[in-house]
Amino acid sequence: MNYFRTALLLAAMTALFMGLGYLIGGPTGMTIAFVVAALMNVFSYWNADKLVLRMHNAVEVDARTEPRFYNLVARLAENAGLPMPRVFVIEEAQPNAFATGRNPENAAVAATRGLLQSLSEEEVAGVMAHELAHVKNHDTLIMTITATIAGAISMLANFALFFGGNRNNNPLGIIGVIAAMIVAPLAAMLVQMAISRTREYAADKAGAEICGQPLWLASALGKIAGGAAHIPNRNAEDNPATAHMFIVNPLSGQNMDNLFSTHPATENRIAALQDMARNAPPSRPASPPRPEPSGTSSAPTSGSSSGPWGGSGPARPHGTGSSNPGRPPRTGRRRGPWG
């Protein structure tokens, strides 16, 4: 059903784009709009991942430069049955993460330094499992195409004022111009929101299945949402069109960018994950996939912290009560291994 809804929404976005071209220039304008969109999508298909990573100054890491994080992603990719993606770290204080790439064979996942420093190992595992779920579901390609068409609609809307007033080209005259300038971009934004929100819920569910513990991701979402609300992400603010790619909206809300958020409410996502944990407890062992350092035992001792992040379990998500069924008890403060 999620894939069917996504296909319908993409079809609606394409129809909207074609209709906007028709309002501006009639049949000729519709044809030109279609050709421009096709060229943009071909370019985006092959280069969007590189462009997004460059926009956010992401640095590729490996088992030598970031062994714990890299090996964690490797184990999660194995759980998901995916090829090993390229792994990147973004030097941003705001905790967040995203995935990109046209297919699982050419995928990349990126996490900010703030996420690696502020979340426990279990929570990082939940976040990266969510991003790998996007890769497995081919959401990265879907969202790239959606963003490209939405950007093209906005571009055509700007052209409407200058090229849409000729009645010989525009069958609706000034009414068509007004619709092109106001209604079309708004409708494109609403469709983009609908696609993004549909895929986020699906990735939350699949990510919880990949890591084996829905509450790890639920706890991480609460922390990330709290951090994103108070810590600005400079690159995301400069490139708001990429905001839908992050696990939580990275925009600070100091401008109008948050008015139409591409993400569902974090509280609703946490509640869905908590319901998943209550109704369908995972059968996997409650331990995060992590590398085993040489010369040390892989089994944590009683009372010790679990994993290199020093986390003994997920913290209570922000905005939730203390009596959630299935929630492990808090046993102290958790810190990241990098700070």
Side-chain angles (χ1 to χ4, degrees):
M1 180 58 68
N2 281 334
Y3 283 108
F4 179 70
R5 287 184 59 192
T6 300
L8 286 179
L9 291 169
L10 282 173
M13 182 76 84
T14 303
L16 180 63
F17 182 77
M18 300 290 290
L20 178 58
Y22 182 78
L23 286 175
I24 294 176
T28 301
M30 183 171 62
T31 302
I32 294 174
F34 175 78
V35 172
V36 171
L39 293 174
M40 292 178 66
N41 281 325
V42 168
F43 178 82
S44 296
Y45 180 85
W46 293 103
N47 298 283
D49 56 339
K50 303 179 185 66
L51 292 176
V52 171
L53 291 166
R54 191 176 300 119
M55 285 178 185
H56 293 277
N57 299 319
V59 177
E60 188 168 5
V61 299
D62 55 26
R64 181 182 58 84
T65 55
E66 293 281 351
R68 292 170 175 171
F69 178 46
Y70 183 89
N71 291 331
L72 176 64
V73 174
R75 292 289 298 275
L76 289 167
E78 182 181 357
N79 283 359
L82 291 170
M84 179 63 188
R86 299 168 67 193
V87 182
F88 291 78
V89 172
I90 303 170
E91 296 297 335
E92 282 283 353
Q94 182 190 92
N96 228 315
F98 67 83
T100 185
R102 61 184 180 273
N103 54 40
E105 291 72 27
N106 296 274
V109 293
T112 65
R113 184 66 65 183
L115 183 135
L116 298 179
Q117 290 179 334
S118 61
L119 269 61
S120 71
E121 179 186 19
E122 292 85 358
E123 292 162 343
V124 173
V127 170
M128 301 320 296
H130 170 100
E131 298 307 330
L132 290 173
H134 277 309
V135 173
K136 189 171 186 176
N137 294 340
H138 294 266
D139 293 339
T140 50
L141 177 60
I142 291 172
M143 296 313 301
T144 296
I145 294 174
T146 303
T148 300
I149 298 177
I153 289 175
S154 297
M155 178 184 67
L156 286 182
N158 291 330
F159 289 163
L161 178 63
F162 302 99
F163 302 105
N166 189 338
R167 290 183 180 271
N168 294 327
N169 292 328
N170 183 352
L172 298 181
I174 190 64
I175 297 177
V177 174
I178 296 174
M181 291 179 60
I182 300 176
V183 178
L186 179 60
M189 187 181 302
L190 293 175
V191 173
Q192 188 178 14
M193 287 166 52
I195 294 176
S196 299
R197 294 181 177 190
T198 298
R199 302 320 307 156
E200 287 302 320
Y201 279 119
D204 284 347
K205 182 177 184 296
E209 293 170 350
I210 290 171
C211 72
Q213 289 289 337
L215 293 180
W216 291 351
L217 178 56
S219 178
L221 288 174
K223 286 187 178 181
I224 295 171
H230 298 95
I231 305 172
N233 186 322
R234 296 162 297 176
N235 290 322
E237 297 290 345
D238 293 338
N239 302 282
T242 65
H244 68 280
M245 301 182 66
F246 287 82
I247 188 170
V248 168
N249 190 349
L251 303 179
S252 65
Q254 295 175 353
N255 47 42
M256 297 298 289
D257 292 326
N258 265 2
L259 182 59
F260 296 100
S261 175
T262 57
H263 292 70
T266 303
E267 293 80 4
N268 294 340
R269 297 170 67 183
I270 292 174
L273 288 164
Q274 291 172 345
D275 287 340
M276 182 179 177
R278 285 193 296 265
N279 299 329
S283 58
R284 296 178 182 176
S287 60
R290 60 181 182 271
E292 296 181 8
S294 58
T296 61
S297 171
S298 60
T301 59
S302 177
S304 65
S305 61
S306 62
W309 275 260
S312 57
R316 183 173 65 230
H318 294 277
T320 62
S322 60
S323 59
N324 294 311
R327 181 171 304 284
R330 301 184 65 177
T331 57
R333 184 181 179 185
R334 289 163 295 280
R335 298 186 59 194
W338 293 279

